Amino acid sequence: QVQLVESGGGLVQAGGSLRLSCEASGRTFYNYAMGWFRQARGKEREFVAAISRSGGSTYYADSVKGRFTISRDNAKNTVYLQMNSLKPEDTAVYYCAATGTSGRPYYSSRYDYNYWGQGTQVTVSS
């Protein structure tokens, strides 16, 4: 079992930056591949970024590639999402997720993830 708590969301102007954090409970954080997803009002939850257990492999949705960076600190049980050059279309509730599934370094499907945080709102004004 792992519990996830996101923080760092807020209101920012277009072109600005935010860093989201997701802290996990438990002593086996390094056993989980992690991901960030987002859900805009009236839309499906979509993949944003994923990172392997060691942090050595990452993967991004095309819509955020080059602007967002996912990272993790296993000593702090925390995964981060650095978001730069934010656009109004990035407005959504952002969720972090953890998966204990093995076989691949990272996962982009929400159905591969076992645990979810409660979400944090990111609003980008134009």
Side-chain angles (χ1 to χ4, degrees):
Q1 277 278 22
V2 60
Q3 293 183 322
L4 305 172
V5 179
E6 302 98 334
S7 61
L11 173 64
V12 63
Q13 288 190 330
S17 298
L18 281 175
R19 188 175 83 153
L20 305 183
S21 300
C22 173
E23 185 170 357
S25 64
R27 296 176 292 175
T28 58
F29 178 67
Y30 53 84
N31 282 338
Y32 294 89
M34 302 295 294
W36 285 97
F37 290 75
R38 66 187 181 186
Q39 187 166 17
R41 188 173 299 179
K43 294 189 175 181
E44 296 271 322
R45 191 170 299 190
E46 65 174 4
F47 169 75
V48 175
I51 191 166
S52 61
R53 289 164 176 78
S54 68
S57 297
T58 57
Y59 182 65
Y60 298 92
D62 287 344
S63 59
V64 307
K65 202 174 294 182
R67 299 188 297 123
F68 290 10
T69 302
I70 188 171
S71 62
R72 66 189 294 164
D73 185 335
N74 285 346
K76 295 183 178 179
N77 281 13
T78 302
V79 62
Y80 304 97
L81 186 68
Q82 177 67 45
M83 305 185 295
N84 299 329
S85 302
L86 282 160
K87 304 175 181 179
E89 52 263 43
D90 294 318
T91 295
V93 178
Y94 283 70
Y95 299 89
C96 73
T99 177
T101 302
S102 61
R104 299 202 298 270
Y106 45 71
Y107 299 83
S108 59
S109 169
R110 59 181 176 170
Y111 301 107
D112 287 322
Y113 287 86
N114 314 102
Y115 306 101
W116 294 84
Q118 82 289 349
T120 186
Q121 176 71 47
V122 171
T123 303
V124 184
S125 64
S126 57

